Amino acid sequence: MHEWSLATSLIKEAEAEAHRRGAIKVHSLTVRVGILTGVVPELLERAYGAAVVDSSLKEAKLILEIEPARARCPACGKETEFEDFLLVCPACGGIGLKALSGEGLVLTRMELEVAG
Ligand SMILES: [Zn+2]
């Protein structure tokens, strides 16, 4: 399951970051998910919920931000923002658009509690 390995690697990354910052508790993780990753947010949330209880993050909440895709049409050069997988240029109907964003899955923010 793709989402399971993403969830566990996000948790590992967050644990390492929390450790670096000397956090005693992690309240939440914010993760930006590009729509072109093909990640299903509900599945990622479920996998995270199951994996996080066995980690040092305990009850840290997962907050997902869905990032739309931007793509440029190779035929007419127009840049468009997409909220689904249909990368067809609305200006000229061209296909084979080049994605400029929307392909990443990034831990963007952590809400931490630091001792002292
Ligand atoms: Zn076009």
Side-chain angles (χ1 to χ4, degrees):
M1 182 177 165
H2 187 49
E3 278 79 4
W4 178 264
S5 63
L6 287 172
T8 53
S9 66
L10 275 173
I11 289 166
K12 273 201 204 103
E13 190 186 338
E15 279 179 324
E17 184 61 26
H19 184 72
R20 259 199 302 279
R21 299 202 210 164
I24 51 167
K25 199 174 172 196
V26 179
H27 293 291
S28 69
L29 313 182
T30 304
V31 175
R32 187 183 302 147
V33 183
I35 61 161
L36 299 180
T37 56
V39 168
V40 181
E42 293 75 36
L43 292 182
L44 182 58
E45 277 168 358
R46 205 178 310 159
Y48 174 84
V52 79
V53 292
D54 291 328
S55 77
S56 63
L57 303 183
K58 301 285 192 301
E59 71 270 34
K61 259 194 317 188
L62 178 67
I63 301 164
L64 294 180
E65 295 177 345
I66 306 304
E67 180 191 32
R70 285 195 71 77
R72 182 185 290 127
C73 175
C76 72
K78 186 180 165 55
E79 273 184 31
T80 310
E81 197 160 278
F82 294 88
E83 285 176 11
D84 54 41
F85 278 92
L86 292 172
L87 296 183
V88 177
C89 177
C92 73
I95 54 165
L97 272 60
K98 189 170 171 3
L100 306 171
S101 71
E103 295 177 302
L105 189 144
V106 190
L107 179 61
T108 55
R109 217 164 34 243
M110 284 175 73
E111 203 190 325
L112 303 172
E113 201 171 305
V114 181

